[in-house]
Amino acid sequence: HDALPICERWPTMTMGQRTAQSKPLGLPVGALVMDNQHLNTCIRELKKRGWLKAGISVTSFHSDNIASPPGLAEAATPCKRAVHVSQQGACALNSTMEAGGSEKAAIAELLPNIMALIARGDATWIPGLRVRSAACCLERRRRRNSGAV
């Protein structure tokens, strides 16, 4: 576990200093987007590591409400689900997807099934995706099912 990345801690800054930063501020968040058939595998593996987000952790996913990151075109079907991860999981997955080599090998040992889904294109990591974002809005799904606009 020594090879896993550690989240950076932001020092106390004034608002002017924060706006000058190139990295986004806030807590690390993100979700794995996949078909329903892969949910149980993903949830089980994230729970085992303690990386499944507490509270609402699985939402529907509507890609038409977000700017699509690379690799998301395949994830645009209506039956997709987003599995939201904890801050620690988001930090590790963000660092791993940006890096390679030993970090990818370390995370592949911890999350072998999830990394296999990503490698096959059956899951997509979307950094910054929040539970109540437009793409994961629960109310939107309820309105569609009821016929309201």
Side-chain angles (χ1 to χ4, degrees):
H1 304 311
D2 295 331
L4 287 178
I6 297 173
C7 286
E8 294 178 21
R9 297 197 184 267
W10 287 94
T12 304
M13 296 183 252
T14 66
M15 187 55 83
Q17 290 170 320
R18 286 184 185 157
T19 56
Q21 292 291 324
S22 60
K23 292 186 179 181
L25 296 176
L27 300 173
V29 295
L32 292 154
V33 174
M34 65 197 65
D35 288 326
N36 286 333
Q37 67 191 24
H38 302 297
L39 280 178
N40 288 335
T41 301
C42 183
I43 290 169
R44 192 174 358 195
E45 203 158 84
L46 289 171
K47 275 185 179 178
K48 183 179 177 182
R49 289 282 146 225
W51 289 359
L52 185 66
K53 182 188 174 301
I56 299 171
S57 57
V58 178
T59 62
S60 57
F61 179 77
H62 308 280
S63 65
D64 55 334
N65 278 354
I66 63 168
S68 296
L72 189 60
E74 308 82 44
T77 60
C79 61
K80 295 289 182 179
R81 307 288 275 176
V83 180
H84 300 269
V85 301
S86 68
Q87 293 172 19
Q88 183 181 11
C91 183
L93 285 164
N94 282 339
S95 296
T96 300
M97 295 304 155
E98 291 172 1
S102 63
E103 283 187 26
K104 279 210 176 185
I107 201 92
E109 286 181 29
L110 293 175
L111 304 173
N113 296 318
I114 291 173
M115 293 308 286
L117 288 171
I118 291 171
R120 287 194 314 258
D122 291 333
T124 303
W125 169 246
I126 304 179
L129 188 62
R130 295 182 178 276
V131 169
R132 288 185 169 64
S133 66
C136 299
C137 183
L138 299 173
E139 287 302 312
R140 185 167 187 255
R141 183 180 66 181
R142 288 188 192 123
R143 276 184 264 156
R144 276 189 175 172
N145 291 341
S146 69
V149 178

